[in-house]
Every structure is written in structure tokens, then in C-alpha cells.
Amino acid sequence: GKVAATKVPGSDMFSCKWEAEFDISMDEWTQLILLDGKFKLSSLWDPTFVDGSFVAEYGNPSVVSQNVKVGYSSFTASVLSHRDLLSMAVPFSNEDGTQISMTCLSVKSPRFLVRKNHKRAKNLVPSGDRATLLGNGKVRMEHLYTTDVGGAVPLWMANMFFRKSYAHAFVHELNNIKELIETEDFKVHCETEQKARPFSVV
């Protein structure tokens, strides 16, 4: 797998990305990234994750590419403690379901205010995930996020002091994902969730 942190053109922000190929089905990737597994499993692969859940959804819940979700989560990363996020996950798929993308950008809502003693971080463009079914039976996963950590931390300071920390956290994410999807517990989770809430990609 590969991990990189690159500056966003025309901006003071930078994005972090990991990319790798896995022996995983598209349905399993969907369980991991797009459905409830995103939060049920996040503590097993995201070292910064504290808690979270989907708080609203729109469209057809049984067809992934027609279902938009709003998620709330909180995280802590080194000195950047007590951050929360409110973001909308919008999925896209090609016609045969061999490639699925999810744009995950921050939104505002009076229903979901900043948690007490927290600062609201933001996912900016570009942010999201993409899975591509390869001809060798594997899936290439790409995880790219551009995050404004919020609070009183200016962008130039985030770039100067936290860029390596973000990239380091992404290395941990990638390694943890690799370990997670090879476990029997992950396979059981996907089978159980599919039975409880059947879905199709397109």
C-alpha cells in the first residue's frame, strides 16, 4: 500500500491519502466504509476515532448508490483532542457496480450542534473513499481526506506542525485495515449485517 500527504492546489490545506489492494468483495467494502460498519468497526482501524453514528439518511436504504447519509463522529489526535465532525456521505457508482465512490464533506445543521467542550473540524474538498473491482479478484481501496481541524489552529500551523502526524495516522489506518479484513470476525460481521439489512450496490 501507499500513503501520501500532498498540498491541495491553490490552498493552504493538504490532503492525506492511502491506497492499497485487498482480497475483499465490493459488498464487504461497502459494509466497511458506507454502511453501519463505518462506525461499528472504526475503533478497530482508525486510531483517532472516539465514537460516532449515522444520524440521518435520505433516499433508498436498500440501494447503496441511492442512499445519502449524514454522520456524526468525534476524534482525538495527539494535541488535537475533543474534535467532532458532521459530514454527509454521498455515494456514486458506475452502471455495473465495479467502482463505487463516496464523497464525504462537512455540513451544517441546527439539529447537530458542536458537542460540549469540543471544536468542530471540517472535511473539505477533496474528501472521500473509492473502491475499484480489479480483474484479479481484488479490490483497490483509496481513502483520501482533507481536514480542517477547527478551533484556533490556523491552516499554516496545521501544515507546519501536524502534517507528519496526519500521515503517520494514515499509515496506522492502512495497517489496521489490512489486519481487520483478514479476521473471521470481519467476515461474520458482514454476513450478519447483510442478513439484517439486505442491500445492493446499484
Side-chain angles (χ1 to χ4, degrees), residues 60-106:
N60 186 347
S62 63
V63 181
V64 171
S65 59
Q66 300 174 15
N67 187 234
V68 173
K69 296 177 181 287
V70 177
Y72 172 87
S73 62
S74 63
F75 69 93
T76 183
S78 185
V79 297
L80 302 175
S81 60
H82 301 98
R83 259 56 182 182
D84 69 1
L85 280 163
L86 184 69
S87 54
M88 178 174 287
V90 182
F92 304 90
S93 173
N94 60 2
E95 291 184 0
D96 58 6
T98 57
Q99 186 176 83
I100 312 171
S101 300
M102 178 192 70
T103 298
C104 189
L105 301 178
S106 285

Side-chain angles (χ1 to χ4, degrees), residues 63-188:
V63 181
V64 171
S65 59
Q66 300 174 15
N67 187 234
V68 173
K69 296 177 181 287
V70 177
Y72 172 87
S73 62
S74 63
F75 69 93
T76 183
S78 185
V79 297
L80 302 175
S81 60
H82 301 98
R83 259 56 182 182
D84 69 1
L85 280 163
L86 184 69
S87 54
M88 178 174 287
V90 182
F92 304 90
S93 173
N94 60 2
E95 291 184 0
D96 58 6
T98 57
Q99 186 176 83
I100 312 171
S101 300
M102 178 192 70
T103 298
C104 189
L105 301 178
S106 285
V107 293
K108 293 182 179 180
S109 171
R111 293 175 54 199
F112 306 107
L113 301 178
V114 180
R115 183 180 292 182
K116 185 178 180 180
N117 298 323
H118 280 60
K119 302 294 184 183
R120 177 62 50 92
K122 300 179 182 68
N123 285 335
L124 307 177
V125 177
S127 291
D129 296 88
R130 179 166 59 194
T132 304
L133 185 63
L134 305 176
N136 58 6
K138 294 186 177 183
V139 169
R140 181 172 63 246
M141 296 172 60
E142 299 168 79
H143 180 77
L144 169 69
Y145 278 81
T146 309
T147 303
D148 179 348
V149 297
V153 182
L155 296 181
W156 67 266
M157 185 178 292
N159 283 338
M160 182 179 296
F161 293 105
F162 303 125
R163 181 171 179 170
K164 288 185 178 179
S165 297
Y166 296 153
H168 187 66
F170 267 53
V171 170
H172 278 290
E173 282 188 9
L174 178 55
N175 291 334
N176 292 343
I177 284 276
K178 289 178 180 177
E179 293 180 3
L180 171 63
I181 65 175
E182 292 176 356
T183 65
E184 185 63 26
D185 286 346
F186 175 66
K187 303 295 183 183
V188 171

Side-chain angles (χ1 to χ4, degrees), residues 19-99:
E19 176 181 342
E21 295 180 8
F22 297 97
D23 290 312
I24 187 174
S25 70
M26 290 296 264
D27 282 356
E28 288 171 334
W29 179 86
T30 301
Q31 291 282 6
L32 180 66
I33 300 296
L34 296 180
L35 301 183
D36 289 344
K38 177 177 177 64
F39 294 114
K40 290 181 179 178
L41 301 173
S42 283
S43 62
L44 301 178
W45 62 270
D46 182 351
T48 70
F49 179 79
V50 176
D51 59 28
S53 64
F54 288 117
V55 294
E57 65 178 313
Y58 308 93
N60 186 347
S62 63
V63 181
V64 171
S65 59
Q66 300 174 15
N67 187 234
V68 173
K69 296 177 181 287
V70 177
Y72 172 87
S73 62
S74 63
F75 69 93
T76 183
S78 185
V79 297
L80 302 175
S81 60
H82 301 98
R83 259 56 182 182
D84 69 1
L85 280 163
L86 184 69
S87 54
M88 178 174 287
V90 182
F92 304 90
S93 173
N94 60 2
E95 291 184 0
D96 58 6
T98 57
Q99 186 176 83

